[in-house]
Amino acid sequence: MRVFKFGGASLKDSWGIQNMINLVKQQNLSNELLIVVSAMGKTTNALEELLKKYWQKADYQANIQAFKAYHYGVMKDGFPDEDDEVYALIDDCVIDLQNELVELKNESDFDKVYDQIVSFGEILSSRLVHYALNQAGVVCEWIDARWAIRTDHTWREGRVDWEITNQNIQSELSAILAHKIILTQGFIGGTEKGDTTTLGREGSDFSGAVFASALQAQSLTIWKDVPGVLNADPKRLSNAELFTQLSYREASEMTYYGASVIHPKTIAPLKRANIPLLVRSFLEPHKTGTCISEATSEQNLAAIIHKNQQVLIHLETIKFNYLREEEVAEVLVACAEVNLKVNLLHKSAFELTICTDNRPERIDRLIDRLSEDFYNKIEPDFELITLLNANSTLIGQITGGQSPALLEHRGNLYQLVLPLSKNKS
Ligand code: ASP
Ligand code: MG
């Protein structure tokens, strides 16, 4: 059996829905298939906006109407009859959303509310895609991923309970798959108590990997609006090239350094179960895209990966001593405690420099914790550029003659921290 994941970009309009249906129809449907869908287009961002207003006790009704109108618009071409049942699905979902917002009005944990509300994007998207597929003659069953994927209650970052999840999926879904396609949601799971959790932004890829590994699928295909995994961001480098093949390790490394084509958590479960990940274009479905498996890339392509919005934190001990290992440990433990990711670390005689993502609230907490022992200086507006297999010409092109604020080099890996503004052109 196989797993397909369709992201928001592939389902953002009527054309996308029709294209998805065609793509599914072109498959050999005697081959079992489970489909994971994200929220349509930019719905998750829109729901975050709605939630912001709700939380600030501002009027959010216009956002609800926009949510409804957007989904009506997406279904319009496929279902021109205004009385079509598909619109009742949207109306019902909007009522559920309104009710949920009322029910949550005394809840004080923002992150918990976030998960209960933002998950409506995936719920509605899956209802609509399910309806559209069935209407097009592709018989499929809607499954609630909040039941299938069990997580703890780390809101917005739900951690999967693999044992229960595998058991749920294997015991119930295999039998259905023998005669029907399954359609379910990405990005969401559920706790033991039945609350909804989300798995981190862009987490639908990871959901695909959870289903694929539980079902021992022959592959997971992620349908994207890019041809596959490219060696650079095509918005920055017009002649970015496609990797036709990457090893799990190579792909994981790239996502770790900031390549956004696949969600970073996706690869580990696939590697453990030895399931290939295919990253393909829904715009050019006849092309094979990138296959991520045990086989390493033989193309010897350099990869260029940008991480924006980086901050440099410089720390120096108050006692003016050489930095000791205990102090380095103290800083790293504090980073772990406030959940701040160290993207690059440099230690000199007196100073420890950390390059991290711009998370102001977490950085404040870190500084607070360390203020008794360390002076600090914080510099925002950098970007971290990671180069794999680069030669000196490419490195020169990237720096454009500027000297990096921080530079690390080991083997075929170069990491440069450069000021964001100057390098943006
Ligand atoms: N809809 C969610 C998001 O936009 C999950 C996903 O797209 O993978 O983050
Ligand atoms: Mg998405």
Coordinates of all heavy atoms in Angstrom, one line a residue, residues 13-51:
D13 N -7.3 25.8 -4.6 CA -8.4 26.3 -5.4 C -9.1 25.2 -6.1 O -8.7 24.0 -6.0 CB -7.8 27.4 -6.4 CG -6.6 26.9 -7.1 OD1 -6.5 25.6 -7.3 OD2 -5.8 27.7 -7.6
S14 N -10.1 25.6 -6.9 CA -10.9 24.5 -7.6 C -10.0 23.7 -8.5 O -10.2 22.5 -8.6 CB -12.0 25.2 -8.5 OG -12.9 25.9 -7.7
W15 N -9.1 24.4 -9.2 CA -8.2 23.6 -10.1 C -7.4 22.6 -9.3 O -7.2 21.4 -9.8 CB -7.2 24.6 -10.8 CG -6.3 23.9 -11.7 CD1 -6.5 23.6 -13.0 CD2 -5.0 23.3 -11.4 NE1 -5.5 22.9 -13.6 CE2 -4.5 22.7 -12.6 CE3 -4.2 23.2 -10.3 CZ2 -3.3 22.0 -12.6 CZ3 -3.0 22.5 -10.3 CH2 -2.6 21.9 -11.5
G16 N -6.9 23.0 -8.1 CA -6.1 22.0 -7.3 C -6.9 20.8 -6.9 O -6.4 19.7 -7.0
I17 N -8.2 21.0 -6.6 CA -9.0 19.9 -6.2 C -9.2 18.9 -7.4 O -9.0 17.7 -7.2 CB -10.4 20.4 -5.7 CG1 -10.3 21.4 -4.5 CG2 -11.3 19.2 -5.3 CD1 -9.9 20.8 -3.2
Q18 N -9.5 19.5 -8.5 CA -9.7 18.7 -9.7 C -8.4 17.9 -10.1 O -8.4 16.8 -10.4 CB -10.1 19.5 -10.9 CG -10.7 18.8 -12.1 CD -11.7 17.7 -11.7 OE1 -12.7 18.0 -11.0 NE2 -11.5 16.4 -12.1
N19 N -7.3 18.7 -10.0 CA -6.0 18.1 -10.3 C -5.7 16.9 -9.3 O -5.2 15.8 -9.8 CB -4.9 19.1 -10.2 CG -3.5 18.6 -10.6 OD1 -3.4 18.2 -11.7 ND2 -2.5 18.7 -9.7
M20 N -6.0 17.1 -8.1 CA -5.8 16.0 -7.1 C -6.6 14.8 -7.4 O -6.2 13.7 -7.4 CB -6.1 16.6 -5.7 CG -6.0 15.6 -4.5 SD -7.4 14.7 -4.2 CE -8.7 15.9 -4.1
I21 N -7.9 15.0 -7.8 CA -8.8 13.9 -8.2 C -8.2 13.2 -9.4 O -8.1 11.9 -9.4 CB -10.2 14.4 -8.5 CG1 -10.8 15.0 -7.2 CG2 -11.1 13.3 -9.1 CD1 -12.2 15.7 -7.4
N22 N -7.8 13.9 -10.4 CA -7.2 13.3 -11.6 C -6.0 12.4 -11.2 O -5.8 11.3 -11.7 CB -6.8 14.3 -12.6 CG -8.0 15.1 -13.2 OD1 -9.1 14.6 -13.1 ND2 -7.7 16.3 -13.7
L23 N -5.2 13.0 -10.4 CA -3.9 12.3 -10.0 C -4.2 11.0 -9.3 O -3.6 10.0 -9.5 CB -3.2 13.3 -9.0 CG -1.8 13.5 -9.3 CD1 -1.3 14.9 -8.9 CD2 -1.0 12.5 -8.5
V24 N -5.3 11.0 -8.4 CA -5.6 9.8 -7.7 C -6.2 8.8 -8.7 O -5.9 7.6 -8.6 CB -6.6 10.1 -6.5 CG1 -7.2 8.8 -5.9 CG2 -5.9 11.0 -5.5
K25 N -7.0 9.3 -9.6 CA -7.7 8.4 -10.6 C -6.6 7.7 -11.5 O -6.9 6.7 -12.0 CB -8.6 9.2 -11.5 CG -10.0 9.4 -10.8 CD -11.0 10.0 -11.8 CE -12.4 9.9 -11.4 NZ -13.3 10.6 -12.3
Q26 N -5.5 8.5 -11.7 CA -4.5 7.9 -12.6 C -3.7 6.7 -12.0 O -3.0 6.1 -12.6 CB -3.5 9.0 -13.0 CG -4.0 9.9 -14.1 CD -3.3 11.2 -14.1 OE1 -2.3 11.4 -13.6 NE2 -3.9 12.2 -14.8
Q27 N -3.9 6.6 -10.7 CA -3.2 5.5 -10.0 C -3.8 4.2 -10.3 O -5.0 4.1 -10.6 CB -3.2 5.8 -8.4 CG -2.7 7.1 -8.0 CD -1.3 7.4 -8.6 OE1 -0.4 6.6 -8.5 NE2 -1.1 8.6 -9.1
N28 N -3.0 3.2 -10.1 CA -3.5 1.8 -10.2 C -4.2 1.6 -8.8 O -3.6 1.4 -7.8 CB -2.4 0.9 -10.3 CG -2.8 -0.6 -10.2 OD1 -4.0 -0.9 -10.1 ND2 -1.8 -1.5 -10.3
L29 N -5.6 1.7 -8.9 CA -6.3 1.7 -7.6 C -6.5 0.3 -7.0 O -7.1 0.1 -5.9 CB -7.6 2.4 -7.7 CG -7.5 3.9 -7.9 CD1 -8.8 4.6 -8.1 CD2 -6.7 4.6 -6.8
S30 N -5.9 -0.7 -7.7 CA -5.9 -2.0 -7.0 C -4.8 -2.0 -5.9 O -4.7 -2.8 -5.0 CB -5.7 -3.2 -7.9 OG -4.4 -3.0 -8.6
N31 N -4.0 -1.0 -6.0 CA -2.9 -0.7 -5.0 C -3.4 0.1 -3.9 O -3.9 1.2 -4.1 CB -1.8 0.0 -5.8 CG -0.5 -0.1 -5.1 OD1 -0.4 -0.2 -3.9 ND2 0.6 -0.1 -5.9
E32 N -3.5 -0.4 -2.7 CA -4.1 0.3 -1.6 C -3.5 1.7 -1.4 O -2.3 1.9 -1.5 CB -3.9 -0.5 -0.3 CG -4.7 -1.9 -0.4 CD -4.3 -2.8 0.7 OE1 -3.7 -2.4 1.7 OE2 -4.8 -4.0 0.6
L33 N -4.4 2.6 -1.0 CA -3.9 4.0 -0.9 C -4.6 4.7 0.3 O -5.8 4.6 0.6 CB -4.3 4.7 -2.2 CG -3.9 6.2 -2.3 CD1 -2.4 6.3 -2.4 CD2 -4.5 6.8 -3.6
L34 N -3.7 5.4 1.1 CA -4.2 6.3 2.2 C -3.8 7.7 1.8 O -2.6 7.9 1.5 CB -3.6 5.8 3.5 CG -4.1 6.7 4.7 CD1 -4.3 5.8 6.0 CD2 -3.0 7.7 5.1
I35 N -4.7 8.6 1.9 CA -4.4 10.0 1.5 C -4.5 10.9 2.7 O -5.5 10.9 3.5 CB -5.4 10.5 0.4 CG1 -5.4 9.6 -0.8 CG2 -5.1 12.0 0.1 CD1 -6.4 10.0 -1.8
V36 N -3.4 11.7 2.9 CA -3.4 12.7 4.0 C -3.5 14.1 3.4 O -2.8 14.4 2.5 CB -2.0 12.5 4.8 CG1 -1.9 13.6 5.8 CG2 -1.9 11.2 5.4
V37 N -4.4 14.9 4.0 CA -4.5 16.3 3.4 C -4.3 17.3 4.5 O -4.6 17.1 5.7 CB -5.9 16.6 2.8 CG1 -6.1 15.7 1.5 CG2 -7.0 16.4 3.7
S38 N -3.7 18.4 4.1 CA -3.5 19.6 5.0 C -4.7 20.5 4.8 O -5.5 20.3 3.9 CB -2.3 20.4 4.7 OG -1.2 19.7 4.4
A39 N -4.7 21.6 5.6 CA -5.7 22.6 5.4 C -5.5 23.2 4.0 O -4.3 23.2 3.5 CB -5.5 23.7 6.5
M40 N -6.5 23.8 3.4 CA -6.4 24.3 2.0 C -5.7 25.7 2.0 O -6.0 26.5 2.9 CB -7.8 24.5 1.4 CG -8.5 23.2 1.2 SD -10.2 23.4 0.6 CE -10.5 21.7 0.2
G41 N -4.8 25.9 1.1 CA -4.1 27.1 0.9 C -3.5 27.6 2.2 O -2.8 26.9 2.9
K42 N -3.8 28.9 2.5 CA -3.2 29.5 3.7 C -4.2 29.5 4.9 O -4.2 30.4 5.7 CB -2.8 30.9 3.4 CG -1.8 31.1 2.3 CD -0.4 31.2 2.8 CE 0.7 31.4 1.7 NZ 1.4 30.2 1.5
T43 N -5.0 28.5 4.9 CA -6.1 28.5 6.0 C -5.5 28.4 7.4 O -6.0 29.1 8.3 CB -7.0 27.2 5.8 OG1 -7.6 27.4 4.5 CG2 -8.0 27.1 6.8
T44 N -4.4 27.7 7.6 CA -3.8 27.7 8.9 C -3.4 29.0 9.4 O -3.7 29.4 10.6 CB -2.7 26.7 9.0 OG1 -3.1 25.4 8.5 CG2 -2.2 26.5 10.4
N45 N -2.8 29.8 8.5 CA -2.4 31.2 8.9 C -3.7 32.0 9.2 O -3.7 32.8 10.1 CB -1.7 31.9 7.7 CG -0.3 31.3 7.5 OD1 0.1 30.4 8.3 ND2 0.3 31.7 6.5
A46 N -4.7 31.8 8.4 CA -6.0 32.6 8.6 C -6.6 32.2 9.9 O -7.1 33.1 10.6 CB -7.0 32.3 7.5
L47 N -6.6 30.9 10.3 CA -7.1 30.5 11.6 C -6.3 31.1 12.8 O -6.8 31.4 13.8 CB -7.3 29.0 11.7 CG -8.4 28.4 10.8 CD1 -8.3 26.9 10.7 CD2 -9.7 28.8 11.4
E48 N -5.0 31.2 12.5 CA -4.1 31.8 13.6 C -4.5 33.3 13.8 O -4.5 33.8 14.9 CB -2.6 31.7 13.2 CG -2.1 30.3 13.4 CD -0.6 30.2 13.1 OE1 0.0 31.2 12.5 OE2 0.1 29.2 13.4
E49 N -4.8 33.9 12.7 CA -5.3 35.3 12.8 C -6.6 35.5 13.5 O -6.7 36.3 14.4 CB -5.5 35.9 11.3 CG -4.2 36.3 10.6 CD -3.4 37.3 11.4 OE1 -4.0 38.3 11.9 OE2 -2.2 37.1 11.6
L50 N -7.5 34.6 13.2 CA -8.8 34.6 13.9 C -8.6 34.4 15.4 O -9.2 35.1 16.2 CB -9.6 33.4 13.3 CG -11.1 33.2 13.8 CD1 -11.8 32.4 12.7 CD2 -11.2 32.5 15.1
L51 N -7.7 33.4 15.7 CA -7.5 33.1 17.1 C -6.8 34.3 17.8 O -7.2 34.5 19.0 CB -6.5 31.9 17.1 CG -6.3 31.3 18.5 CD1 -7.6 30.7 19.1 CD2 -5.2 30.2 18.4

